[in-house]
Amino acid sequence: MSLEVSGKVFKLLQEQSGEGKNGRWVKKEFVIESEDQFPKKICFSTWGDKVDEVKKLAEGDSVTISFNAESREYNGRWYTDLRAWRIVKSGGQPVNNEQD
């Protein structure tokens, strides 16, 4: 399932990293505020090379996020992850194609 939402970057959260059975991992989360009649704040996660794309964002940037939603169960509780796989700044350019 692939979904899409537009909004402004509200908050960039700290990068997290660690070691797992498959080697080193890196994760960065960010929050956008949707552009609906009743705006909602939505937290997205990025992993691996997508973290570099989030580092190019600034709070207040207008973006469109394509993402997958996935839930998992742990100890009888359910957790939902919104994993961004494409980030486009206003103007239509994907973040990974921009010049530094």
Side-chain angles (χ1 to χ4, degrees):
M1 167 185 359
S2 179
L3 303 165
E4 189 174 273
V5 66
S6 295
K8 289 190 185 275
V9 176
F10 180 77
K11 182 90 172 162
L12 298 167
L13 304 176
Q14 287 196 345
E15 187 176 301
Q16 302 169 13
S17 62
E19 290 288 330
K21 65 180 179 180
N22 296 326
R24 182 167 166 73
W25 58 268
V26 63
K27 172 184 175 180
K28 186 162 179 73
E29 296 176 318
F30 63 101
V31 179
I32 70 165
E33 187 170 52
S34 68
E35 297 175 338
D36 300 325
Q37 180 181 358
F38 302 104
K40 303 283 187 234
K41 292 182 180 69
I42 308 165
C43 183
F44 293 95
S45 64
T46 55
W47 294 81
D49 60 344
K50 291 290 179 194
V51 168
D52 292 334
E53 293 182 27
V54 177
K55 289 179 182 179
K56 295 178 181 178
L57 297 176
E59 292 179 7
D61 284 349
S62 292
V63 293
T64 299
I65 309 295
S66 298
F67 65 98
N68 293 328
E70 183 178 352
S71 296
R72 65 190 178 291
E73 185 265 339
Y74 179 74
N75 288 340
R77 294 198 61 184
W78 284 88
Y79 299 88
T80 300
D81 184 39
L82 302 179
R83 189 171 295 193
W85 56 268
R86 184 169 189 238
I87 303 169
V88 178
K89 278 188 174 180
S90 62
Q93 277 298 100
V95 173
N96 62 349
N97 289 345
E98 291 185 350
Q99 300 290 327
D100 286 332

